[in-house]
Each structure stands twice: as structure tokens, then as C-alpha cells.
């Protein structure tokens, strides 16, 4: 992350300020300063306009950030209809995962889970894939909820685990080895594997494969 001084101002000609320009500037500020750096004042400085001018287009900072989230989700590339269902779902969830890793805390921009076009576009595509390959409506709804929680959980764990010391695995393996053999025979058997634990991306891919396994071999959308 770089300091705010690295962001370059763009002079906005009088009468040309609009929502698209404001959103583009907000995303530039986010790239340079992170989510916490996106304020009405910072975006206005980027555009070289008075901060009050932004309020003609966005009620407040939260409304602006929700629109930024919508714009970013709307840019998630959806897979080709030719891709098998399991692979198509994987591609969508990977794209969402990468987005959350790039912008930690992004999920907090929509605390009330307001339906926004960007998210609805992704959910519609996923739902169409599931229904199109024979998954019932109830199960498709459950899977959509599980997909979202899985991706978010993996992204949050990735951010948390990045701060862990490299000796974490060795220490955890030692703790497992010290468990009473008669009470925890299975965990003691797994313990040595913790010396070289899988990376967070590897864990994500393993979980992803398990989630979409029931879709393997099923036909695509009608």
C-alpha cells in the first residue's frame, strides 16, 4: 500500500462531474490507500473538486462505498457457457476470492446485504448453472449460501494466517504429538503433517473441489 501522496489529481472541468467519474476516482483511492483511505474528501481531492459536490451524486460515504462494491462485483468476469458446470462455478468463486484478497474488508461495505446489481449478476449466473444441470431449487439456494460463506471464510483466514510466524506449523505439530495417545489417536496421526501445512490458496482449492464434486460430470445449462 502506498501513501496518499502517490495518488495523482485529475482536474474535473466544471459541469462534468458524474457518478462514473466519482466511482473511478474512489477506486483509484482504494488502490492507493486501501478501503480505510476512501473518504469523500480523498475522492474529491483526487477529482480536484469541492467535497460537497460529491453529495449531489451520493448521499454519504456509505452510499458511495456500496456503489464502489457494486462496480467491482460487476467487473468480475463470468465464465463461458461452454465450460462444464463444475469448472464454471470454480471460476466464479475464484474470481470472488481474489477480489476479497485484494481488498480486505470489502465484504463490510454491504453490512445490510442490500441486493445490488453486481452481486445479483453473479448469483444469477451461479443459480442458472445449478438449475441448468438438474440441481433442485432448494438445494441451489443452499449451495449459493454455502458458496458465499466458503469464499468469505477462506479470504478472512488467508488474511489472518499471513500474520502467522513461519514456525507455526512446527509448533502445532509438536502440540499434537503431545496429545494423549489413547484419547486422540486420529489427531496424533495427522499431527506430523502440520510441520509443512498447505498454503491458504491450496486449502481454498481443496475446499472448492469438495464443494463442486457433486456437479462433476453433470450436463450444462439448457
Amino acid at each position: 500500500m502506498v501513501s496518499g501522496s502517490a495518488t495523482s489529481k485529475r482536474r474535473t472541468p466544471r459541469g462534468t462531474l458524474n457518478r462514473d467519474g466519482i466511482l473511478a476516482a474512489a477506486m483509484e483511492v482504494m488502490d492507493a490507500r486501501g478501503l480505510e483511505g476512501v473518504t469523500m474528501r480523498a475522492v474529491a481531492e483526487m477529482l480536484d473538486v469541492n467535497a460537497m459536490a460529491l453529495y449531489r451524486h451520493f448521499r454519504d460515504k456509505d452510499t458511495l462505498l456500496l456503489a464502489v462494491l457494486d462496480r467491482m462485483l460487476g467487473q468480475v468476469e463470468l465464465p463461458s457457457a461452454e465450460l462444464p458446470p463444475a469448472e464454471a462455478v470454480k471460476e466464479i468463486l475464484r474470481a470472488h476470492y481474489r477480489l476479497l484478497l485484494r481488498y480486505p474488508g470489502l465484504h463490510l461495505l454491504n453490512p445490510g446485504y442490500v441486493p445490488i446489481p453486481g452481486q445479483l449478476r453473479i448469483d444469477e449466473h451461479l443459480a442458472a448453472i445449478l438449475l441448468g444441470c438438474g440441481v433442485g431449487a432448494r438445494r441451489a439456494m443452499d449451495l449459493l449460501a454455502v458458496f458465499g460463506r466458503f469464499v468469505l471464510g477462506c479470504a478472512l483466514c488467508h488474511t489472518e494466517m499471513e500474520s502467522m510466524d513461519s514456525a507455526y506449523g512446527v509448533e502445532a505439530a509438536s502440540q499434537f504429538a503431545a496429545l494423549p495417545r489413547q484419547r486422540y489417536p486420529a489427531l496424533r496421526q495427522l499431527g506430523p503433517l502440520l510441520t509443512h501445512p498447505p498454503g491458504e490458496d491450496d486449502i481454498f482449492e481443496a475446499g472448492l473441489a469438495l464443494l463442486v464434486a457433486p456437479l462433476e460430470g453433470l450436463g450444462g445449462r439448457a
Side-chain angles (χ1 to χ4, degrees), residues 53-67:
L54 303 187
Y55 289 95
R56 300 192 189 101
H57 302 273
F58 296 97
R59 184 174 66 250
D60 51 29
K61 174 186 170 182
D62 289 341
T63 305
L64 171 60
L65 288 175
L66 188 61

Side-chain angles (χ1 to χ4, degrees), residues 1 26 29-43 61 65 103-106 108-109:
M1 188 177 299
V29 173
M30 185 183 298
D31 278 328
R33 309 182 190 180
L35 282 172
E36 294 182 355
V38 182
T39 65
M40 300 298 264
R41 181 181 297 276
V43 175
K61 174 186 170 182
L65 288 175
Y103 301 105
L106 191 66
L108 299 176
L109 299 188

Side-chain angles (χ1 to χ4, degrees), residues 123-161:
D123 290 344
E124 170 64 22
H125 203 81
L126 284 170
I129 292 172
L130 295 173
L131 294 174
C133 62
V135 173
R138 178 69 264 176
R139 191 178 181 196
M141 178 66 77
D142 291 341
L143 282 172
L144 285 179
V146 171
F147 289 160
R149 285 158 176 76
F150 168 72
V151 171
L152 176 57
C154 285
L156 292 176
C157 285
H158 191 290
T159 302
E160 182 69 22
M161 294 301 291

Side-chain angles (χ1 to χ4, degrees), residues 16-97:
T16 63
L17 186 65
N18 55 48
R19 285 178 63 91
D20 284 343
I22 294 171
L23 288 174
M27 291 173 71
E28 284 189 44
V29 173
M30 185 183 298
D31 278 328
R33 309 182 190 180
L35 282 172
E36 294 182 355
V38 182
T39 65
M40 300 298 264
R41 181 181 297 276
V43 175
E45 289 177 354
M46 168 71 73
L47 293 166
D48 197 21
V49 300
N50 188 295
M52 293 305 297
L54 303 187
Y55 289 95
R56 300 192 189 101
H57 302 273
F58 296 97
R59 184 174 66 250
D60 51 29
K61 174 186 170 182
D62 289 341
T63 305
L64 171 60
L65 288 175
L66 188 61
V68 168
L69 174 62
D70 184 40
R71 171 68 63 88
M72 297 177 80
L73 291 173
Q75 293 176 351
V76 169
E77 186 174 349
L78 299 178
S80 165
E82 303 302 318
L83 211 59
E87 291 305 312
V89 170
K90 285 181 183 179
E91 286 301 302
I92 295 172
L93 299 189
R94 284 178 184 134
H96 199 178
Y97 174 67

